[in-house]
Amino acid sequence: MTDSTVSRQENSPKRPNDSNGEFKRLLVPETSQPEEDELHESPPENQVLNVEEDREKTYDSVPPFSWAKLWKFTGPGFLMSIAFLDPGNIEGDLQAGAVAGYSLLWLLLWATLMGLLMQLLSARIGVATGRHLAEICRSEYPSWARILLWFMAEVALIGADIQEVIGSAIALQILTRGFLPIWVGVIITSFDCFLISYLEKCGMRKLEGLFAVLIATMALSFAWMFNETKPSVEELFIGIIIPKLGSKTIREAVGVVGCVITPHNVFLHSALVQSRKTDPKEINRVQEALNYYTIESSAALFVSFMINLFVTAVFAKGFYGTKQADSIGLVNAGHYLQEKYGGGVFPILYIWGIGLLAAGQSSTITGTYAGQFIMEGFLDLQMEQWLSAFITRSFAIVPTMFVAIMFNTSEGSLDVLNEWLNILQSMQIPFAVIPLLTMVSNEHIMGVFKIGPSLEKLAWTVAVFVMMINGYLLLDFFMAEVEGFLVGFLVFGGVVGYISFIIYLVSYRSSQSSSWSSLEMSERVVSTET
């Protein structure tokens, strides 16, 4: 039995010998422990919404469905869905459409469903424990593993933030007719950390209202482009329903699947659900919250799927089978659209720029928000929100500014950079997904809300599939880019360390399960003897 297991055993409440007491113990997640309550600080009152009309009332079963209650729970899922609509995803959509036409839409649908499963598990752990994933990792893993997980999460966040900020800067350059260089757009975009700090002080609903406007802007912009370009509805439905994958479209297919799970978003959703006050000790209330979050998150990802579909279909209609298909990217997409479809009362170039700006701004704000939770959760730092947002934003803005100045003059260089950033984020996926599945399947942490064997197998199957897809992307990329003995040796060493840490995380899950099974058995033996 490990030292950490012994520590949790000593701090856990004494378990009654009677069967009814044992049943009640299983119903109460770990957050009910007095020590955890002291360590865990609730969010400020203006960031927590009261969703109960009568908090004193108790239920013997899950309360009946209410549209008014669903509206109160609506918000966190839509903030989470922004990660499915960031500039990196938009670029993946347009490249998939230009290279593969409508043939990968079925994969986009299934990839979105896989992403939904992971996000629902993230919400589940947040509601059932009253803590978010980074906080739970801090209390469950040894210090060295916790610091390494934090570092990996920050690296993934920086990679995503560079893409998002660059995407916003490109949009600003489009909307100002090239007047603003990309590096100036980066500076302008960086000030969103102060906007999120202000909106947090105004209340959670104000922040959610901003994201509603940004998502609506994206939806309207890309829907307008869809209507203007008139893609084939018949081919679109065939692409959604009939799976089809050719040898020339494997890279784009890998890109579509690789974008569905973003590491920082897994941590973020478990924290966002804390904005609705739900007592983890009230089993029926927790189940009610999970039901509403399932509906809300599904609706949010349906909207994100439609937006991604609009982008893919527009570029499939305009550029599939053309000579521009292999060279189109985020930087030149607007100009290609303008050449293809011209101006008019509302030039498509500027509609594209507006949609891209909404995608970039919304994702940079959620990235800042995720960074706060990741840093505070893993490192147990308590500081002013504006300072936390500023530090989190600085981690990303400094390298982004360097990138913007170095790559400002070359479209090709920005496309290569984007490939490297996708690789960087893909490498971090196991370090968010494995802890999530480890914790959400742990009865000691989740109580009665521990996922069942069937769902656990499905979740691990999805996780392994996504990790294998990204592994293929990593192998393909490094085989093409890595040259020279020294570089190859360094990459090999890094790969060995990378795989070793993944093996540790998986084996840690197995050892913890064995430890708690032994603990349960020993207590039952003691109970029988007494």
Side-chain angles (χ1 to χ4, degrees):
M1 188 181 300
T2 63
D3 293 340
S4 59
T5 303
V6 172
S7 175
R8 282 195 297 272
Q9 179 181 352
E10 292 172 351
N11 293 328
S12 61
K14 298 297 182 182
R15 299 174 184 175
N17 293 333
D18 61 281
S19 59
N20 187 50
E22 179 76 6
F23 175 73
K24 289 182 178 178
R25 179 193 64 77
L26 293 176
L27 289 181
V28 181
E30 184 186 16
T31 190
S32 61
Q33 296 180 16
E35 184 178 345
E36 292 294 343
D37 284 341
E38 293 173 5
L39 292 174
H40 174 63
E41 292 191 9
S42 301
E45 286 298 321
N46 66 336
Q47 294 180 31
V48 179
L49 301 181
N50 178 26
V51 294
E52 305 297 343
E53 292 83 2
D54 184 4
R55 282 188 285 178
E56 300 299 323
K57 186 176 180 180
T58 59
Y59 289 90
D60 295 328
S61 61
V62 178
F65 176 82
S66 165
W67 286 103
K69 184 73 72 70
L70 176 61
W71 171 248
K72 291 182 179 180
F73 277 99
T74 298
F78 282 90
L79 269 68
M80 168 274 294
S81 71
I82 294 296
F84 291 73
L85 298 168
D86 66 12
N89 277 33
I90 297 298
E91 183 165 38
D93 293 335
L94 67 89
Q95 289 175 341
V99 175
Y102 304 95
S103 65
L104 294 181
L105 290 178
W106 66 275
L107 192 58
L108 175 63
L109 173 61
W110 283 101
T112 303
L113 293 175
M114 289 190 289
L116 174 62
L117 172 62
M118 292 299 163
Q119 295 305 145
L120 290 179
L121 293 180
S122 176
R124 186 183 189 89
I125 200 170
V127 176
T129 66
R131 298 181 294 161
H132 58 80
L133 182 58
E135 291 176 318
I136 297 174
C137 288
R138 185 184 76 231
S139 64
E140 293 295 318
Y141 287 109
S143 296
W144 70 269
R146 167 173 55 88
I147 295 299
L148 198 50
L149 284 171
W150 167 74
F151 176 77
M152 294 297 189
E154 289 289 354
V155 167
L157 184 60
I158 290 172
D161 221 5
I162 291 175
Q163 287 181 314
E164 293 156 1
V165 172
I166 292 292
S168 294
I170 291 172
L172 289 172
Q173 190 176 53
I174 290 173
L175 295 174
T176 59
R177 292 174 170 266
F179 177 76
L180 289 180
I182 290 180
W183 67 269
V184 174
V186 169
I187 295 176
I188 294 173
T189 304
S190 67
F191 286 105
D192 63 15
C193 66
F194 299 105
L195 174 62
I196 191 174
S197 180
Y198 171 75
L199 289 173
E200 281 182 322
K201 291 181 180 178
C202 293
M204 195 64 190
R205 275 304 198 193
K206 299 291 191 304
L207 183 64
E208 291 170 355
L210 171 64
F211 282 101
V213 171
L214 292 172
I215 292 173
T217 301
M218 278 186 276
L220 291 173
S221 298
F222 298 135
W224 184 92
M225 291 172 58
F226 181 87
N227 182 68
E228 186 74 8
T229 57
K230 294 178 174 55
S232 170
V233 176
E234 180 182 353
E235 290 185 58
L236 187 148
F237 276 107
I238 291 174
I240 293 175
I241 296 171
I242 301 177
K244 184 180 179 182
L245 185 62
S247 59
K248 296 181 179 180
T249 61
I250 289 179
R251 192 175 185 85
E252 284 68 34
V254 169
V256 169
V257 176
C259 292
V260 298
I261 299 177
T262 51
H264 70 271
N265 208 37
V266 173
F267 290 100
L268 176 63
H269 200 195
S270 64
L272 290 174
V273 295
Q274 311 294 326
S275 63
R276 271 60 176 175
K277 188 176 292 184
T278 304
D279 186 354
K281 300 174 186 177
E282 294 288 338
I283 304 303
N284 293 320
R285 295 289 194 187
V286 171
Q287 187 58 59
E288 177 192 35
L290 291 175
N291 293 344
Y292 284 122
Y293 282 132
T294 299
I295 297 171
E296 184 243 4
S297 297
S298 300
L301 288 193
F302 174 75
V303 173
S304 74
F305 169 73
M306 292 303 299
I307 293 174
N308 285 314
L309 182 146
F310 289 153
V311 175
T312 303
V314 165
F315 285 86
K317 168 67 175 180
F319 303 101
Y320 177 56
T322 66
K323 62 181 181 180
Q324 297 101 329
D326 292 326
S327 61
I328 197 166
L330 206 60
V331 178
N332 56 22
H335 299 292
Y336 281 159
L337 286 169
Q338 188 76 352
E339 291 175 4
K340 182 76 175 182
Y341 297 105
V345 179
F346 299 104
I348 196 169
L349 171 65
Y350 299 116
I351 301 298
W352 165 255
I354 291 170
L356 182 59
L357 181 63
Q361 281 300 105
S362 58
S363 54
T364 54
I365 296 174
T366 53
T368 302
Y369 211 36
Q372 293 180 51
F373 290 120
I374 289 171
M375 184 170 63
E376 293 172 1
F378 276 113
L379 304 183
D380 195 22
L381 297 178
Q382 301 299 328
M383 62 181 69
E384 292 290 334
Q385 292 174 353
W386 70 268
L387 180 59
S388 176
F390 177 76
I391 294 174
T392 302
R393 172 52 83 227
S394 298
F395 278 140
I397 288 299
V398 172
T400 303
M401 182 62 70
F402 173 78
V403 164
I405 294 173
M406 292 294 295
F407 294 93
N408 185 45
T409 58
S410 172
E411 293 180 3
S413 297
L414 279 175
D415 288 338
V416 172
L417 171 68
N418 189 60
E419 286 189 43
W420 277 97
L421 292 175
N422 285 335
I423 294 298
L424 185 68
Q425 294 174 75
S426 297
M427 292 175 65
Q428 313 311 318
I429 288 176
F431 308 119
V433 171
I434 295 176
L436 171 65
L437 298 186
T438 298
M439 303 308 169
V440 82
S441 58
N442 189 324
E443 185 180 312
H444 170 60
I445 295 172
M446 298 294 294
V448 74
F449 294 104
K450 165 184 177 285
I451 59 175
S454 298
L455 182 56
E456 184 178 1
K457 290 177 182 176
L458 176 62
W460 276 104
T461 300
V462 169
V464 170
F465 174 70
V466 173
M467 286 188 282
M468 287 179 63
I469 287 290
N470 284 284
Y472 169 83
L473 184 63
L474 291 173
L475 181 63
D476 178 67
F477 185 78
F478 281 118
M479 288 184 66
E481 297 293 332
V482 174
E483 297 179 358
F485 174 79
L486 179 60
V487 176
F489 180 77
L490 292 175
V491 169
F492 176 77
V495 169
V496 171
Y498 177 82
I499 295 176
S500 298
F501 190 40
I502 292 177
I503 293 173
Y504 167 79
L505 292 175
V506 174
S507 62
Y508 184 84
R509 167 183 176 269
S510 301
S511 65
Q512 290 301 100
S513 299
S514 300
S515 297
W516 282 106
S517 297
S518 300
L519 180 60
E520 293 285 344
M521 183 62 68
S522 63
E523 290 196 350
R524 288 175 183 173
V525 170
V526 171
S527 175
T528 303
E529 291 176 351
T530 55

